[in-house]
Coordinates of all heavy atoms in Angstrom, one line a residue:
M1 N 80.3 105.6 140.3 CA 80.6 105.5 141.7 C 79.4 104.9 142.4 O 78.3 105.3 142.1 CB 80.9 106.8 142.3 CG 82.2 107.5 141.7 SD 82.5 109.0 142.6 CE 84.2 108.9 142.7
A2 N 79.6 104.2 143.4 CA 78.6 103.6 144.2 C 78.3 104.5 145.4 O 79.0 105.3 145.8 CB 79.0 102.2 144.7
D3 N 77.1 104.2 146.1 CA 76.8 104.9 147.3 C 77.9 104.6 148.3 O 78.5 103.5 148.3 CB 75.4 104.5 147.9 CG 74.3 104.9 147.0 OD1 74.5 105.8 146.1 OD2 73.2 104.4 147.2
V4 N 78.1 105.5 149.2 CA 79.2 105.3 150.2 C 78.5 105.0 151.6 O 77.6 105.8 152.0 CB 80.0 106.6 150.4 CG1 81.1 106.4 151.4 CG2 80.7 106.9 149.0
I5 N 78.9 103.9 152.2 CA 78.3 103.6 153.5 C 79.5 103.4 154.5 O 80.4 102.8 154.2 CB 77.5 102.3 153.4 CG1 76.4 102.4 152.4 CG2 77.0 101.9 154.8 CD1 75.6 101.1 152.2
I6 N 79.3 104.1 155.6 CA 80.3 104.0 156.7 C 79.7 103.5 157.9 O 78.6 103.9 158.3 CB 80.9 105.4 157.0 CG1 81.7 105.9 155.7 CG2 81.9 105.3 158.2 CD1 82.2 107.3 155.9
E7 N 80.2 102.4 158.5 CA 79.7 101.9 159.7 C 80.7 101.9 160.8 O 81.9 101.6 160.6 CB 79.2 100.4 159.5 CG 78.0 100.3 158.6 CD 77.4 98.9 158.6 OE1 77.3 98.3 159.6 OE2 77.1 98.5 157.5
E8 N 80.3 102.3 162.0 CA 81.1 102.3 163.2 C 80.2 102.1 164.4 O 79.4 102.9 164.7 CB 81.8 103.7 163.4 CG 82.8 103.7 164.5 CD 83.5 105.0 164.6 OE1 84.2 105.4 163.7 OE2 83.4 105.6 165.7
D9 N 80.4 100.9 165.0 CA 79.6 100.5 166.1 C 78.1 100.6 165.8 O 77.3 101.2 166.6 CB 79.9 101.3 167.4 CG 81.4 101.1 167.8 OD1 81.9 100.0 167.6 OD2 82.0 102.1 168.4
A10 N 77.7 100.2 164.6 CA 76.3 100.2 164.2 C 75.7 101.6 164.0 O 74.5 101.7 163.9 CB 75.4 99.3 165.1
V11 N 76.5 102.6 164.0 CA 76.1 104.0 163.7 C 76.5 104.3 162.3 O 77.7 104.3 162.0 CB 76.7 105.0 164.7 CG1 76.2 106.4 164.4 CG2 76.2 104.6 166.1
K12 N 75.6 104.5 161.4 CA 76.0 104.6 160.0 C 75.6 105.9 159.4 O 74.7 106.6 159.9 CB 75.4 103.5 159.1 CG 74.2 102.8 159.7 CD 73.7 101.7 158.8 CE 72.5 101.1 159.5 NZ 71.8 100.2 158.8
A13 N 76.3 106.2 158.3 CA 76.0 107.4 157.5 C 76.1 107.0 156.0 O 76.9 106.2 155.6 CB 77.0 108.5 157.8
V14 N 75.1 107.5 155.2 CA 75.1 107.2 153.8 C 74.9 108.5 153.0 O 74.1 109.4 153.4 CB 73.9 106.2 153.5 CG1 73.9 105.9 152.0 CG2 74.0 105.0 154.3
A15 N 75.6 108.7 151.9 CA 75.4 109.8 151.0 C 75.0 109.2 149.7 O 75.7 108.4 149.1 CB 76.7 110.6 150.9
Y16 N 73.9 109.8 149.1 CA 73.4 109.3 147.8 C 72.6 110.3 147.1 O 72.2 111.3 147.8 CB 72.6 108.0 148.0 CG 71.4 108.2 148.9 CD1 70.1 108.4 148.2 CD2 71.4 108.2 150.2 CE1 69.0 108.7 149.0 CE2 70.2 108.4 151.0 CZ 69.0 108.6 150.4 OH 67.9 108.9 151.1
P17 N 72.4 110.3 145.8 CA 73.1 109.4 144.9 C 74.5 109.9 144.6 O 74.8 111.1 144.8 CB 72.2 109.6 143.6 CG 71.7 110.9 143.7 CD 71.5 111.2 145.2
N18 N 75.3 109.0 144.1 CA 76.7 109.4 143.8 C 77.1 108.6 142.5 O 77.2 107.4 142.6 CB 77.6 109.0 144.9 CG 79.0 109.6 144.8 OD1 79.2 110.5 143.9 ND2 79.9 109.2 145.6
P19 N 77.2 109.3 141.4 CA 77.2 110.7 141.2 C 75.8 111.3 141.3 O 74.8 110.6 141.3 CB 77.8 110.9 139.8 CG 77.6 109.6 139.1 CD 77.5 108.6 140.2
T20 N 75.8 112.6 141.5 CA 74.6 113.4 141.7 C 74.5 114.5 140.6 O 75.5 115.0 140.2 CB 74.4 114.0 143.1 OG1 73.2 114.6 143.2 CG2 75.5 114.9 143.4
S21 N 73.3 114.9 140.3 CA 73.1 116.0 139.4 C 72.7 117.2 140.1 O 72.5 118.3 139.5 CB 72.0 115.6 138.4 OG 70.8 115.4 139.0
G22 N 72.8 117.2 141.4 CA 72.5 118.4 142.2 C 72.0 118.2 143.6 O 72.5 118.9 144.5
M23 N 71.1 117.3 143.8 CA 70.6 117.1 145.2 C 71.3 115.9 145.8 O 71.2 114.8 145.3 CB 69.0 116.9 145.1 CG 68.4 116.7 146.5 SD 68.5 118.2 147.5 CE 67.3 119.3 146.6
L24 N 71.9 116.2 146.9 CA 72.6 115.2 147.7 C 71.8 114.9 148.9 O 71.4 115.8 149.6 CB 74.0 115.6 148.0 CG 74.9 114.7 148.8 CD1 75.2 113.4 148.0 CD2 76.2 115.4 149.3
H25 N 71.7 113.6 149.2 CA 70.9 113.2 150.4 C 71.9 112.5 151.4 O 72.7 111.7 151.0 CB 69.8 112.2 150.1 CG 68.9 112.6 149.0 ND1 67.9 113.5 149.3 CD2 68.8 112.4 147.7 CE1 67.2 113.8 148.2 NE2 67.8 113.1 147.2
L26 N 71.9 113.0 152.6 CA 72.7 112.4 153.7 C 71.7 111.7 154.7 O 70.8 112.4 155.2 CB 73.5 113.4 154.4 CG 74.7 114.1 153.7 CD1 75.3 115.2 154.5 CD2 75.7 113.1 153.2
K27 N 71.9 110.5 154.9 CA 71.1 109.8 155.9 C 72.1 109.3 157.0 O 73.1 108.7 156.7 CB 70.4 108.6 155.2 CG 69.4 107.9 156.1 CD 68.6 106.9 155.3 CE 67.6 106.2 156.2 NZ 66.8 105.2 155.4
Y28 N 71.7 109.5 158.2 CA 72.7 109.2 159.3 C 71.9 108.9 160.6 O 70.7 109.3 160.7 CB 73.7 110.2 159.5 CG 73.1 111.6 159.9 CD1 73.0 111.9 161.3 CD2 72.7 112.5 159.0 CE1 72.4 113.1 161.7 CE2 72.1 113.7 159.4 CZ 72.0 114.0 160.7 OH 71.4 115.2 161.1
E29 N 72.5 108.3 161.5 CA 72.0 108.1 162.8 C 73.0 108.5 163.9 O 74.2 108.4 163.6 CB 71.4 106.7 163.0 CG 72.4 105.6 162.8 CD 71.8 104.2 162.9 OE1 71.0 103.9 162.0 OE2 72.1 103.5 163.9
I30 N 72.5 108.9 165.0 CA 73.4 109.2 166.1 C 73.0 108.4 167.4 O 71.8 108.2 167.6 CB 73.5 110.7 166.4 CG1 72.1 111.3 166.7 CG2 74.1 111.5 165.3 CD1 72.1 112.8 167.1
G31 N 73.9 108.0 168.1 CA 73.7 107.1 169.3 C 73.5 107.9 170.6 O 73.2 107.3 171.6
Q32 N 73.8 109.2 170.6 CA 73.6 110.0 171.8 C 73.4 111.5 171.3 O 73.7 111.8 170.2 CB 74.9 110.0 172.6 CG 76.1 110.6 172.0 CD 77.3 110.4 172.9 OE1 77.4 109.6 173.7 NE2 78.3 111.2 172.6
D33 N 72.7 112.3 172.1 CA 72.5 113.7 171.8 C 73.8 114.3 171.5 O 74.8 114.2 172.2 CB 71.8 114.4 172.9 CG 70.4 113.9 173.3 OD1 70.0 112.9 172.6 OD2 69.8 114.4 174.2
D34 N 73.9 115.0 170.3 CA 75.2 115.6 169.9 C 74.9 116.7 168.8 O 73.9 116.8 168.3 CB 76.1 114.5 169.4 CG 77.5 114.7 169.9 OD1 77.9 115.9 170.1 OD2 78.2 113.7 170.0
L35 N 76.0 117.4 168.6 CA 76.0 118.4 167.5 C 76.2 117.8 166.2 O 77.1 116.9 166.1 CB 77.0 119.5 167.8 CG 76.8 120.4 169.0 CD1 78.0 121.3 169.3 CD2 75.5 121.2 168.9
V36 N 75.5 118.2 165.1 CA 75.6 117.6 163.8 C 75.7 118.7 162.8 O 74.8 119.7 162.8 CB 74.4 116.7 163.5 CG1 74.6 116.1 162.0 CG2 74.4 115.5 164.4
G37 N 76.6 118.7 161.9 CA 76.7 119.7 160.8 C 77.5 119.1 159.7 O 77.9 117.9 159.7
Y38 N 77.9 119.9 158.7 CA 78.7 119.4 157.6 C 79.6 120.5 157.0 O 79.3 121.7 157.2 CB 77.8 118.8 156.5 CG 77.0 119.8 155.7 CD1 77.5 120.6 154.7 CD2 75.6 120.0 156.0 CE1 76.7 121.5 154.0 CE2 74.9 120.9 155.3 CZ 75.4 121.6 154.3 OH 74.6 122.5 153.6
V39 N 80.6 120.1 156.3 CA 81.4 121.0 155.5 C 81.7 120.4 154.2 O 81.7 119.1 154.1 CB 82.8 121.3 156.2 CG1 82.6 122.2 157.5 CG2 83.6 120.1 156.5
I40 N 81.8 121.2 153.2 CA 82.1 120.7 151.8 C 83.3 121.4 151.3 O 83.4 122.6 151.4 CB 80.9 121.0 150.9 CG1 79.6 120.3 151.4 CG2 81.2 120.5 149.5 CD1 78.3 120.6 150.6
Y41 N 84.2 120.6 150.7 CA 85.5 121.1 150.2 C 85.5 120.8 148.7 O 85.0 119.8 148.2 CB 86.7 120.5 150.8 CG 86.8 120.8 152.3 CD1 86.3 119.9 153.2 CD2 87.4 121.9 152.7 CE1 86.4 120.2 154.6 CE2 87.6 122.2 154.1 CZ 87.0 121.3 155.0 OH 87.2 121.6 156.4
S42 N 86.1 121.7 147.9 CA 86.3 121.4 146.5 C 87.5 120.4 146.4 O 88.1 120.1 147.4 CB 86.7 122.7 145.7 OG 88.0 123.2 146.2
S43 N 87.7 120.0 145.2 CA 88.8 119.0 144.9 C 90.2 119.6 145.2 O 91.1 118.9 145.4 CB 88.7 118.4 143.5 OG 88.9 119.5 142.6
T44 N 90.3 120.9 145.3 CA 91.5 121.6 145.6 C 91.7 121.9 147.1 O 92.7 122.5 147.5 CB 91.7 122.9 144.8 OG1 90.6 123.8 145.2 CG2 91.6 122.7 143.3
G45 N 90.7 121.5 147.9 CA 90.8 121.6 149.3 C 90.2 122.9 149.8 O 90.2 123.2 151.0
Q46 N 89.5 123.7 149.0 CA 88.9 125.0 149.4 C 87.6 124.7 150.0 O 86.7 124.0 149.5 CB 88.8 125.9 148.2 CG 88.1 127.2 148.5 CD 87.9 128.1 147.2 OE1 88.1 127.6 146.1 NE2 87.4 129.3 147.4
L47 N 87.3 125.3 151.2 CA 86.0 125.2 151.8 C 85.0 126.0 151.0 O 85.2 127.2 150.7 CB 86.1 125.8 153.2 CG 84.8 125.8 154.0 CD1 84.3 124.4 154.3 CD2 84.9 126.6 155.3
V48 N 84.0 125.3 150.5 CA 83.0 126.0 149.6 C 81.6 126.1 150.3 O 80.8 126.8 149.8 CB 82.9 125.2 148.3 CG1 84.2 125.4 147.5 CG2 82.6 123.8 148.4
A49 N 81.3 125.3 151.3 CA 80.0 125.4 152.0 C 80.1 124.7 153.4 O 81.0 123.9 153.6 CB 78.9 124.7 151.2
S50 N 79.3 125.1 154.3 CA 79.2 124.5 155.6 C 77.9 124.8 156.2 O 77.1 125.7 155.8 CB 80.3 125.0 156.5 OG 80.1 126.4 156.8
Q51 N 77.5 123.9 157.2 CA 76.3 124.1 158.0 C 76.8 124.2 159.4 O 77.5 123.3 159.9 CB 75.3 123.0 157.8 CG 74.1 123.2 158.7 CD 73.2 122.0 158.6 OE1 73.7 120.8 158.9 NE2 71.9 122.2 158.3
T52 N 76.4 125.2 160.2 CA 76.7 125.3 161.6 C 76.1 124.1 162.3 O 74.9 123.8 162.1 CB 76.1 126.6 162.2 OG1 76.6 127.7 161.4 CG2 76.5 126.8 163.6
P53 N 76.9 123.4 163.1 CA 76.3 122.3 163.9 C 75.1 122.6 164.7 O 75.1 123.7 165.3 CB 77.5 121.8 164.7 CG 78.7 122.3 164.0 CD 78.3 123.6 163.4
E54 N 74.1 121.7 164.7 CA 72.9 121.9 165.5 C 72.8 120.7 166.4 O 73.2 119.6 166.0 CB 71.7 121.9 164.5 CG 71.7 123.0 163.5 CD 70.5 122.9 162.6 OE1 69.8 121.9 162.6 OE2 70.3 123.9 161.8
L55 N 72.2 120.9 167.6 CA 72.0 119.8 168.5 C 70.9 118.9 168.0 O 69.8 119.4 167.7 CB 71.6 120.4 169.9 CG 71.5 119.4 171.0 CD1 72.8 118.6 171.2 CD2 71.0 120.0 172.3
K56 N 71.2 117.6 167.9 CA 70.2 116.6 167.5 C 70.1 115.6 168.7 O 71.1 115.3 169.3 CB 70.7 115.9 166.3 CG 70.8 116.8 165.1 CD 69.5 117.2 164.5 CE 69.7 118.0 163.2 NZ 68.5 118.5 162.7
T57 N 69.0 115.0 168.8 CA 68.8 114.0 169.8 C 69.0 112.6 169.2 O 69.1 112.5 168.0 CB 67.3 114.0 170.4 OG1 66.4 113.9 169.3 CG2 67.1 115.3 171.2
V58 N 69.1 111.6 170.0 CA 69.3 110.2 169.5 C 68.3 109.8 168.5 O 67.1 110.1 168.6 CB 69.2 109.2 170.7 CG1 69.3 107.8 170.2 CG2 70.3 109.5 171.7
G59 N 68.7 109.2 167.4 CA 67.8 108.8 166.3 C 68.4 108.8 164.9 O 69.6 109.0 164.8
E60 N 67.5 108.6 164.0 CA 67.9 108.6 162.6 C 67.4 109.9 161.9 O 66.3 110.4 162.2 CB 67.2 107.4 161.8 CG 67.7 106.1 162.3 CD 67.1 104.9 161.6 OE1 66.4 105.2 160.6 OE2 67.3 103.8 162.0
Y61 N 68.2 110.4 161.0 CA 68.0 111.7 160.3 C 68.3 111.6 158.9 O 69.1 110.8 158.4 CB 68.8 112.8 161.0 CG 68.4 113.1 162.4 CD1 69.0 112.5 163.4 CD2 67.5 114.1 162.7 CE1 68.7 112.7 164.8 CE2 67.1 114.4 164.0 CZ 67.7 113.7 165.0 OH 67.4 113.9 166.3
E62 N 67.7 112.5 158.1 CA 68.0 112.7 156.7 C 68.2 114.2 156.5 O 67.5 115.0 157.0 CB 66.9 112.2 155.8 CG 66.8 110.7 155.8 CD 65.9 110.1 154.8 OE1 65.9 110.6 153.6 OE2 65.1 109.2 155.1
M63 N 69.2 114.5 155.6 CA 69.5 115.9 155.3 C 69.7 116.0 153.8 O 70.3 115.2 153.2 CB 70.8 116.3 156.0 CG 71.3 117.7 155.7 SD 72.9 118.0 156.5 CE 72.8 117.3 158.1
D64 N 69.1 117.0 153.2 CA 69.2 117.3 151.8 C 70.1 118.5 151.6 O 69.9 119.5 152.2 CB 67.9 117.5 151.1 CG 67.0 116.3 151.1 OD1 67.6 115.2 151.0 OD2 65.8 116.4 151.1
I65 N 71.1 118.4 150.7 CA 72.0 119.5 150.3 C 71.8 119.7 148.9 O 72.1 118.8 148.0 CB 73.4 119.1 150.7 CG1 73.6 118.8 152.1 CG2 74.3 120.3 150.3 CD1 75.0 118.2 152.5
N66 N 71.3 120.9 148.5 CA 71.1 121.2 147.1 C 72.4 121.9 146.5 O 72.6 123.1 146.7 CB 69.9 122.1 146.9 CG 69.5 122.3 145.5 OD1 70.3 122.2 144.6 ND2 68.2 122.5 145.3
L67 N 73.2 121.1 145.9 CA 74.5 121.6 145.3 C 74.2 122.6 144.2 O 75.0 123.4 143.9 CB 75.4 120.5 144.9 CG 75.7 119.5 146.0 CD1 76.5 118.3 145.5 CD2 76.5 120.1 147.2
T68 N 73.1 122.4 143.5 CA 72.8 123.3 142.3 C 72.5 124.7 142.8 O 73.0 125.7 142.2 CB 71.5 122.7 141.6 OG1 71.8 121.4 141.1 CG2 71.2 123.6 140.3
D69 N 71.7 124.8 143.9 CA 71.4 126.2 144.4 C 72.7 126.9 144.9 O 72.8 128.1 144.9 CB 70.5 126.1 145.6 CG 69.0 125.8 145.2 OD1 68.8 125.9 144.0 OD2 68.2 125.6 146.0
M70 N 73.7 126.1 145.3 CA 75.0 126.7 145.7 C 75.9 127.0 144.6 O 77.0 127.5 144.7 CB 75.7 125.7 146.7 CG 75.0 125.5 148.0 SD 75.9 124.3 149.0 CE 74.7 123.9 150.2
Q71 N 75.4 126.8 143.4 CA 76.1 127.1 142.1 C 77.5 126.5 142.0 O 78.4 127.1 141.6 CB 76.1 128.6 141.9 CG 74.8 129.2 141.9 CD 74.8 130.7 141.7 OE1 75.8 131.4 141.6 NE2 73.6 131.3 141.5
F72 N 77.6 125.2 142.4 CA 78.8 124.5 142.3 C 79.0 124.1 140.9 O 78.1 123.8 140.2 CB 78.8 123.2 143.1 CG 78.9 123.4 144.6 CD1 79.0 124.7 145.2 CD2 78.9 122.3 145.5 CE1 79.1 124.9 146.6 CE2 79.0 122.5 146.8 CZ 79.1 123.8 147.4
S73 N 80.3 124.1 140.4 CA 80.6 123.6 139.1 C 80.7 122.1 139.1 O 81.0 121.5 140.2 CB 82.0 124.2 138.7 OG 82.0 125.6 138.7
P74 N 80.5 121.5 138.0 CA 80.7 120.0 138.0 C 82.1 119.6 138.4 O 83.0 120.3 138.2 CB 80.5 119.6 136.5 CG 79.7 120.8 135.9 CD 80.1 122.0 136.7
G75 N 82.2 118.5 139.1 CA 83.5 118.0 139.6 C 83.4 117.2 140.8 O 82.3 116.8 141.3
L76 N 84.5 117.0 141.4 CA 84.6 116.1 142.6 C 84.6 117.0 143.9 O 85.3 118.0 143.9 CB 85.9 115.3 142.6 CG 86.1 114.4 143.8 CD1 85.1 113.2 143.7 CD2 87.5 113.8 143.7
Y77 N 83.8 116.7 144.9 CA 83.7 117.4 146.1 C 83.9 116.4 147.3 O 83.5 115.3 147.2 CB 82.4 118.1 146.2 CG 82.3 119.3 145.3 CD1 81.8 119.0 144.0 CD2 82.7 120.5 145.6 CE1 81.7 120.1 143.0 CE2 82.6 121.6 144.7 CZ 82.2 121.3 143.4 OH 82.1 122.3 142.5
H78 N 84.4 117.0 148.4 CA 84.5 116.2 149.6 C 83.6 116.7 150.6 O 83.6 117.9 151.0 CB 86.0 116.3 150.1 CG 87.0 115.8 149.1 ND1 87.4 114.5 149.0 CD2 87.7 116.5 148.2 CE1 88.2 114.4 148.0 NE2 88.4 115.6 147.5
V79 N 82.7 115.8 151.1 CA 81.6 116.2 152.0 C 82.0 115.5 153.4 O 82.2 114.3 153.4 CB 80.2 115.8 151.6 CG1 79.2 116.1 152.7 CG2 79.9 116.4 150.3
R80 N 82.1 116.3 154.4 CA 82.4 115.8 155.8 C 81.2 116.0 156.7 O 80.8 117.2 156.9 CB 83.6 116.5 156.3 CG 84.0 116.0 157.8 CD 85.3 116.5 158.2 NE 86.3 115.6 157.5 CZ 87.6 115.9 157.4 NH1 88.0 117.0 158.0 NH2 88.4 115.1 156.8
L81 N 80.6 115.0 157.1 CA 79.5 115.0 158.1 C 80.1 115.0 159.5 O 80.9 114.1 159.8 CB 78.6 113.8 157.8 CG 77.4 113.7 158.8 CD1 76.4 114.9 158.6 CD2 76.6 112.4 158.5
L82 N 79.8 116.0 160.3 CA 80.3 116.1 161.6 C 79.3 115.7 162.6 O 78.2 116.3 162.7 CB 80.8 117.5 161.9 CG 81.7 118.1 160.8 CD1 81.8 119.6 161.0 CD2 83.0 117.5 160.9
R83 N 79.5 114.6 163.3 CA 78.6 114.1 164.4 C 79.3 114.0 165.7 O 79.9 113.0 166.0 CB 78.0 112.7 164.0 CG 77.3 112.7 162.7 CD 76.6 111.4 162.3 NE 77.6 110.4 161.9 CZ 77.4 109.1 162.0 NH1 76.3 108.6 162.4 NH2 78.3 108.3 161.6
G84 N 79.3 115.1 166.4 CA 80.0 115.1 167.7 C 81.5 114.9 167.4 O 82.1 115.6 166.6
S85 N 82.1 113.9 168.0 CA 83.5 113.7 167.8 C 83.8 112.8 166.6 O 84.9 112.5 166.2 CB 84.2 113.0 169.1 OG 83.5 111.8 169.3
Q86 N 82.7 112.3 166.0 CA 82.8 111.4 164.8 C 82.7 112.2 163.5 O 81.9 113.1 163.4 CB 81.7 110.3 164.9 CG 81.8 109.3 163.7 CD 80.8 108.2 163.9 OE1 80.1 108.2 164.9 NE2 80.7 107.4 162.9
T87 N 83.5 111.9 162.5 CA 83.4 112.5 161.2 C 83.2 111.4 160.2 O 83.8 110.3 160.3 CB 84.6 113.3 160.8 OG1 85.8 112.5 160.9 CG2 84.8 114.5 161.8
D88 N 82.4 111.6 159.2 CA 82.2 110.7 158.1 C 82.6 111.5 156.8 O 82.0 112.6 156.6 CB 80.8 110.2 158.0 CG 80.4 109.5 159.3 OD1 81.0 108.5 159.6 OD2 79.4 110.0 159.9
D89 N 83.5 111.0 156.0 CA 83.9 111.6 154.8 C 83.4 110.9 153.5 O 83.5 109.7 153.5 CB 85.4 111.7 154.7 CG 86.0 112.6 155.8 OD1 85.6 113.8 155.9 OD2 86.8 112.1 156.6
F90 N 82.9 111.7 152.6 CA 82.4 111.2 151.3 C 83.0 112.0 150.2 O 83.1 113.2 150.3 CB 80.8 111.4 151.3 CG 80.1 110.8 152.5 CD1 79.7 111.7 153.5 CD2 79.8 109.5 152.5 CE1 79.0 111.2 154.6 CE2 79.1 109.0 153.6 CZ 78.7 109.8 154.6
R91 N 83.3 111.2 149.1 CA 83.7 111.9 147.9 C 82.5 111.8 147.0 O 82.0 110.8 146.7 CB 84.9 111.2 147.2 CG 86.2 111.4 148.0 CD 87.4 110.8 147.3 NE 87.0 109.5 146.7 CZ 87.9 108.7 146.2 NH1 89.2 109.0 146.2 NH2 87.5 107.6 145.6
I92 N 82.1 113.0 146.5 CA 80.9 113.1 145.7 C 81.2 113.7 144.4 O 81.9 114.7 144.3 CB 79.8 114.0 146.4 CG1 79.5 113.5 147.8 CG2 78.6 114.2 145.6 CD1 78.9 112.1 147.8
L93 N 80.7 113.1 143.3 CA 80.9 113.6 142.0 C 79.6 114.3 141.5 O 78.5 113.7 141.6 CB 81.2 112.4 141.0 CG 81.4 112.8 139.5 CD1 82.6 113.7 139.4 CD2 81.6 111.6 138.7
L94 N 79.8 115.6 141.2 CA 78.6 116.4 140.8 C 78.6 116.5 139.3 O 79.6 117.0 138.7 CB 78.7 117.8 141.4 CG 77.7 118.8 140.9 CD1 76.3 118.4 141.3 CD2 77.9 120.2 141.5
N95 N 77.6 116.0 138.6 CA 77.4 116.1 137.2 C 76.3 117.2 136.9 O 75.5 117.5 137.8 CB 76.8 114.8 136.6 CG 77.8 113.7 136.7 OD1 79.0 113.9 136.6 ND2 77.3 112.5 136.9
K96 N 76.3 117.8 135.8 CA 75.2 118.7 135.5 C 74.6 118.4 134.1 O 75.2 117.8 133.3 CB 75.8 120.2 135.4 CG 76.1 120.6 136.9 CD 75.7 122.0 137.1 CE 76.0 122.4 138.5 NZ 75.8 123.7 138.8

């Protein structure tokens, strides 16, 4: 699988590496001060992790999510990055 890039009005989000062996990096930017967080779902749609949205100011950010520490089993996961009213969805394959 290749890295996933989503662009909307020059505001982008990237999740890499994909597939990953445990550490997932999210790189994103926001065009206005807003709340940012994430949710992770298993391939069956079960919510398995989340981060409470935090207020971020305009700019570029990077976030690391350690899937190994969360004791996820290998498989497909859906990561949703929440940026205010915008959502970015990524399908991530976790290898071990």
Side-chain angles (χ1 to χ4, degrees):
M1 294 183 142
D3 293 347
V4 179
I5 300 175
I6 296 175
E7 292 190 42
E8 181 177 304
D9 298 329
V11 178
K12 18 181 185 175
V14 181
Y16 63 95
N18 192 13
T20 182
S21 60
M23 185 62 74
L24 178 65
H25 306 283
L26 293 177
K27 186 174 183 178
Y28 62 94
E29 56 185 69
I30 56 175
Q32 63 184 22
D33 295 358
D34 223 330
L35 296 173
V36 177
Y38 68 82
V39 292
I40 302 175
Y41 297 95
S42 69
S43 59
T44 61
Q46 178 184 5
L47 177 65
V48 293
S50 65
Q51 179 190 52
T52 303
E54 299 174 354
L55 183 61
K56 301 285 186 182
T57 57
V58 173
E60 295 182 8
Y61 294 90
E62 291 189 41
M63 176 187 316
D64 293 330
I65 304 171
N66 191 333
L67 302 174
T68 303
D69 283 354
M70 295 181 193
Q71 300 181 356
F72 287 1
S73 300
L76 184 66
Y77 291 89
H78 301 273
V79 178
R80 176 168 287 167
L81 178 64
L82 309 166
R83 299 185 287 161
S85 62
Q86 182 176 353
T87 60
D88 302 297
D89 294 303
F90 307 98
R91 290 187 319 190
I92 303 297
L93 182 61
L94 175 61
N95 295 327
K96 289 217 176 174

